[in-house]
Amino acid sequence: MLKYILKSTSLLMMVTSSNLIADELSIDKQVTPTVSKICPADFYTLPLYPNAKFCQLFDTKLPASLSYFAVSGQQATKNFYLQELGEAEDEKMLKGRIVLQYEHGEKVVIISKDGTGSQVDILVKSSI
């Protein structure tokens, strides 16, 4: 039962964090997430960190977002995205989160500390 409570609390924190980020980036957040134990390899051509866990898909049509847990720390996760996608067009720290923007801000990767790993939020506004 404790594991269930901890997982539920973790998911609630992830949704709350995503809503805060959506507020900061002016993205509509009025969607119900779909939680999956099996994460896809990518989301609108943006890769997910290997062995991603606790994927939450907030919408399948654009604008869409996906949140997940990566087993690596914030900097290692950032390095993964820089290696996979190249240098971000815009990179900044926002309330302790690393925000990487690609394709003129239409694709955004947000990396937050989450225990020994990271929470990654991928926001896709359009498929430029």
Side-chain angles (χ1 to χ4, degrees):
M1 182 67 171
L2 182 59
K3 282 177 82 174
Y4 174 75
I5 292 170
L6 290 173
K7 283 184 180 180
S8 296
T9 302
S10 176
L11 290 174
L12 179 59
M13 289 173 47
M14 290 169 64
V15 169
T16 302
S17 177
S18 295
N19 287 343
L20 290 173
I21 292 164
D23 286 341
E24 285 290 329
L25 298 174
S26 300
I27 296 173
D28 183 17
K29 60 183 184 301
Q30 301 301 320
V31 294
T32 303
T34 302
V35 179
S36 173
K37 289 187 179 201
I38 300 173
C39 296
D42 63 28
F43 182 67
Y44 286 95
T45 71
L46 295 172
L48 273 64
Y49 196 88
N51 300 315
K53 299 177 182 183
F54 307 113
C55 287
Q56 295 182 79
L57 178 62
F58 288 88
D59 207 342
T60 55
K61 61 182 180 173
L62 297 177
S65 64
L66 174 94
S67 294
Y68 71 91
F69 177 79
V71 296
S72 69
Q74 196 176 24
Q75 286 300 315
T77 304
K78 172 189 164 185
N79 291 340
F80 166 79
Y81 278 98
L82 294 178
Q83 180 181 5
E84 292 293 314
L85 301 174
E87 187 176 335
E89 294 167 0
D90 186 42
E91 177 182 333
K92 60 186 164 192
M93 285 294 284
L94 181 64
K95 297 183 180 180
R97 298 172 180 96
I98 297 170
V99 180
L100 305 173
Q101 294 191 39
Y102 293 91
E103 297 184 22
H104 308 290
E106 295 300 311
K107 294 183 178 181
V108 182
V109 177
I110 302 156
I111 307 164
S112 309
K113 292 180 185 177
D114 188 351
T116 59
S118 302
Q119 176 182 318
V120 180
D121 299 296
I122 299 175
L123 309 170
V124 181
K125 299 175 190 174
S126 70
S127 60
I128 293 181

